[in-house]
Every structure is written in structure tokens, then in C-alpha cells.
């Protein structure tokens, strides 16, 4: 069972875990990752604006979820990604992977966020505190992280 | 792929800075009969005007999807297809 | 900043994530693991009873949290472990690790649960549906998982 | 470690099935002068009675902490120490 959502609103991680595990006592572990808008003194961003390709996004996320479910025999999987304008500290993405044991749950969680970062059609634009806007460049380390699951 | 030969149009979508450079997010264009791949379509679009040329100026940073699936420059394109161009994705 | 708790009551994962990330826009990712009481048709347990060594437990958890914080430069870390009688599907343990980037957050999460399973003084007793009680044996795979961080 | 030489006692704790076999979770025992390690203490306790013997019958499955820190059989023990015996941990 996968839950795939793209939304402007914030998500409730506790409620999503409850939804994922409801009535499933065969689950032994849930791995989770929450990505947040990061602002530091060295890189003081004022906001992040997330754009996506609506007709493709949920399809791409569902493919990634299906791949993880098959590889790690997941008992459930949740991918929620926000779009629109987000402020520092706000959550961007939620990944949940439920499995019988922790090894599968945690490996699948890492896989899901690695693939999501390289195989789902989202783009981030940063607004700096001085008002300057820049599209975020893809990181080579993200490609390397995704490649280890090939 | 569900082509009607009498309507040789494709829908082209642009995202992120490609959209900003082209100036629109979506356009419907007539597909010349000799354009059969995504790579050939890029060359065709880049030759249209300065805005398109600027969007495609660095081909290495342009990614593509044909009918909502990631595709390389050799991917087939035909009438009725939805072809999207964008920079490498940066979600998550 | 570490939060360490041993308690009978359930925990609220969403609230714990909020507490961990509050006022910390330098956090870019939070890794999380929730362990739950697992019951399957092949192994139909009725309950799990968790015993611990009160004088030592929080000390042991704090040592594990400190080790993870130092190794992965964590910006925050939460370890909550329940004790007492728990039913199938109920959460047992919560691990949270907050870092600037996802790699550190997810690696630290795996480390924290691996070490917790082998270096914190908790013991599980299973009650089967027929009333039989058995102390759970330690798994060799848990020792192997912990050893990879040595 | 904060020993008072006139009170040669240690507190011994048992957890999980060791507690069940010994029959108590905690006992205060007088430490003979020649018992200076956790391993020697195990031998001393196992010789006390059938319940202790049963608890320590398989030495390989017995783990130990001295003053709330995991310790091996060679760990020093002395008056005033808190020494805990238990099976391999199974939390998480």
C-alpha cells in the first residue's frame, strides 16, 4: 500500500505514520525521513519555491514507491512532497517505509529519498534574504547516492 | 503516440529556468515530418528564436520526458506526444 | 541537544520531531525510526513486556546519543524507549537524528537503533496467544549490525 | 568504587531470566576479600545455592555491568560497587 501526495500544505508526520501502520501488526519497523528548508548564516535563504510537473509527478513518485516496495518487500510506503513557497525550517518532503524488520525499513527509506531526489520532477528556486533568486543546481553527490542502488 | 496523422502537433512543456527563458510553460507546435527524436526536436526548437536558443544553449543541462517518462535524446517523438524539457531535478 | 526518555506511555512522533527542529533552520534533514511490536500468523504474540535497568538505561542511551552526535555532527537527537506491557502494533522505540544533510541524518538513525539494540539494558519477554511466556533471544544479526559501526 | 573498607558489601542486581531464576531482583552481599573481578563474583554466587547455580548455569549467556557500565569478566569489583547480571540485551 502506497500513499503518494503532492501538496502545498504541511503534512502531519505522526498522522501519516498512524495511517501507514493502522491494522498492520505484521509491521516491525518504520523508517522515516523528513527534509526541511535549510538556512544557515553562510547561506541565508529567505524562502524556497518548489515547482513540479503536475502530470508526471505522482506517476514518478508511484514508480519509485513500487520499486522500493518490490525490492524490500515493504508493507507500506508514503511519499509526500510539498510545492509552492516554503520558509526556512518548514518541511518539504516526507518519506515513510514500513517493513517487518528495521534493516529493510531503513534501507528502503534511504533508497526512496535518493531516488526521489534524482527521478521525480521537482525544481527548487532559492530566494536569498537580499531578494536574489537562483534555481538550485543538482548535486553530483545526489547522482552518486542514487547510483548506489542501480 | 496516439497519433492522428492529419494533426502533426506535439505539446512542449518547459520547467524551471527553461520555462523562464522560453517565456511560456507550454506551447503546441507543429512537428516537421523529419523530426523523429527528442534530440532532433531540441535542435528544431533552439533554431526558432533567441528565447528558445537561450533555453537550450547548454544542452548538457537539459533533461527531457516524453509522455511523462524520462527520456534521452534518442527517444522517439511523434504527433500527439507531450514532450517536456527541464534542468536536472532538485526535489527532496 | 539530545532528548532521552524511558517511559510506559506512548510517544507522539510528530510532536517529538517538532520539538527537535523548533528554532533550528540549520537542520536540513531528520532521520527517524519507529520500532513496533510485531505479530504475524507464524508468530502470533499477544503482548511484549519490556524490562530495563533503571539506574543504567538513560545513562546508556545518553552515551549512544553522544557517540552519534560526535560522529555525524548531529544538530539534535532523540531516543525514547517504552517499557512495560505493549500490544501488537504498538510503538516500542523512537529514534530521531537531525543533521544539515540527509546522509548524516539517515546514517546516524541506523547507527542509533543498531547500538540501542546491543548497548542499552532492555529485555523483551513475549507472551504468546496461548499464554506461554518466553524471553526473547538476542539476534546474531543485531550484533553484526552494531559491529559495522565499530 | 567509593569503598568503605569496614563495609565489604556489594549490591548485586539481576534482570530478565536471571532475575526469575535467582528469585530476587536485587541482593546485598558480603564480598569475600579474594573476590576482585566480576568473573570471580559469578563463581562465588553460582556456588551459593541451586537458584543461583541455575541463573549462572550457562556463563556464555550472562552479561554484566559494574556501576552501570558494561563490563567483562575481568572487570574489577570492590566494596560499594553495584554489579548487575543479565542476558544479552534485546531492546529496540
Amino acid at each position: 500500500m502506497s500513499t503518494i501526495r503532492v501538496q502545498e500544505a504541511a503534512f502531519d508526520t505522526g498522522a501519516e505514520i498512524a495511517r501507514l501502520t493502522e491494522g498492520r501488526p505484521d509491521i516491525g519497523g518504520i523508517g522515516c525521513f523528513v527534509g526541511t528548508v535549510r538556512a544557515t548564516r553562510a547561506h541565508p535563504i529567505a524562502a524556497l519555491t518548489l515547482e513540479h510537473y503536475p502530470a508526471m509527478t505522482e506517476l514518478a513518485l508511484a514508480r519509485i514507491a513500487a520499486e522500493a516496495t518490490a525490492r524490500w518487500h515493504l508493507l507500506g510506503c508514503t511519499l509526500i512532497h510539498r510545492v509552492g513557497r516554503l520558509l526556512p525550517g518548514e518541511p518539504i518532503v516526507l518519506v515513510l517505509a514500513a517493513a517487518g524488520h528495521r534493516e529493510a525499513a531503513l534501507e528502503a527509506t534511504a533508497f526512496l529519498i535518493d531516488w526521489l531526489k534524482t527521478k521525480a520532477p521537482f525544481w527548487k528556486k532559492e530566494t536569498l534574504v537580499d531578494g536574489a533568486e537562483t534555481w538550485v543546481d543538482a548535486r553530483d553527490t545526489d547522482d552518486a547516492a542514487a547510483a548506489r542502488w542501480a | 503516440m496516439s497519433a492522428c496523422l492529419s494533426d502533426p502537433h506535439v505539446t512542449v512543456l518547459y520547467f524551471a529556468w527553461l520555462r523562464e527563458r522560453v517565456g511560456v510553460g507550454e506551447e503546441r507546435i507543429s512537428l516537421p515530418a523529419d523530426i523523429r527524436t527528442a534530440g532532433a526536436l531540441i535542435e528544431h526548437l533552439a533554431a526558432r528564436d533567441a528565447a528558445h536558443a537561450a533555453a537550450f544553449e547548454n544542452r548538457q543541462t537539459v533533461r527531457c520526458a516524453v509522455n511523462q517518462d524520462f527520456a534521452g535524446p534518442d527517444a522517439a517523438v511523434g504527433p500527439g506526444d507531450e514532450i517536456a524539457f527541464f534542468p536536472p531535478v532538485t526535489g527532496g
Side-chain angles (χ1 to χ4, degrees), chain A, chain B:
Chain A
M1 188 214 68
S2 295
T3 297
I4 306 289
R5 289 209 310 274
V6 178
Q7 61 189 40
E8 294 201 1
F11 45 79
D12 177 340
T13 302
E16 295 301 333
I17 292 177
R19 176 208 301 263
L20 185 68
T21 53
E22 176 72 33
R24 292 301 302 260
D26 52 334
I27 291 173
I30 304 107
C32 166
F33 177 76
V34 178
T36 53
V37 180
R38 183 168 187 249
T40 62
R41 255 174 293 187
H43 195 68
I45 75 161
L48 209 56
T49 306
L50 269 291
E51 173 173 334
H52 74 127
Y53 176 2
M56 178 173 170
T57 315
E58 298 202 1
L59 207 59
L61 294 177
R63 281 185 198 120
I64 295 168
E67 180 72 24
T69 300
R71 284 201 199 189
W72 283 277
H73 306 292
L74 297 184
L75 301 175
C77 169
T78 299
L79 295 176
I80 300 177
H81 205 297
R82 294 176 71 190
V83 292
R85 187 177 167 89
L86 303 175
L87 301 179
E90 282 198 77
I92 305 169
V93 61
L94 174 67
V95 170
L96 298 177
H101 296 284
R102 77 181 185 286
E103 297 82 354
L106 286 172
E107 272 191 40
T109 300
F111 167 87
L112 285 162
I113 186 65
D114 283 349
W115 269 36
L116 188 153
K117 286 206 172 239
T118 55
K119 296 181 199 294
F122 294 96
W123 299 274
K124 287 189 186 114
K125 181 188 249 180
E126 286 179 351
T127 306
L128 298 183
V129 287
D130 64 7
E133 298 198 324
T134 329
W135 289 98
V136 174
D137 278 328
R139 296 200 301 166
D140 290 341
T141 52
D142 286 337
D143 289 331
R148 70 193 163 118
W149 306 107
Chain B
M1 297 295 182
S2 57
C4 168
L5 289 178
S6 62
D7 176 18
H9 285 83
V10 292
T11 301
V12 181
L13 305 179
Y14 304 99
F15 293 98
W17 53 256
L18 274 101
R19 173 179 51 72
E20 290 179 344
R21 291 191 188 176
V22 171
V24 296
E26 176 171 347
E27 57 187 354
R28 192 168 159 73
I29 70 152
S30 177
L31 192 70
D34 62 332
I35 302 294
R36 297 196 183 88
T37 66
L41 179 60
I42 289 177
E43 299 309 320
H44 175 69
L45 291 167
R48 291 187 95 188
D49 56 37
H52 284 81
F56 290 107
E57 119 198 304
N58 185 353
R59 305 278 202 280
Q60 286 208 303
T61 61
V62 175
R63 299 291 179 273
C64 174
V66 177
N67 298 325
Q68 299 91 46
D69 205 352
F70 291 107
D74 296 335
V77 300
D81 285 348
E82 176 176 292
I83 300 128
F85 295 106
F86 42 78
V89 300
T90 56

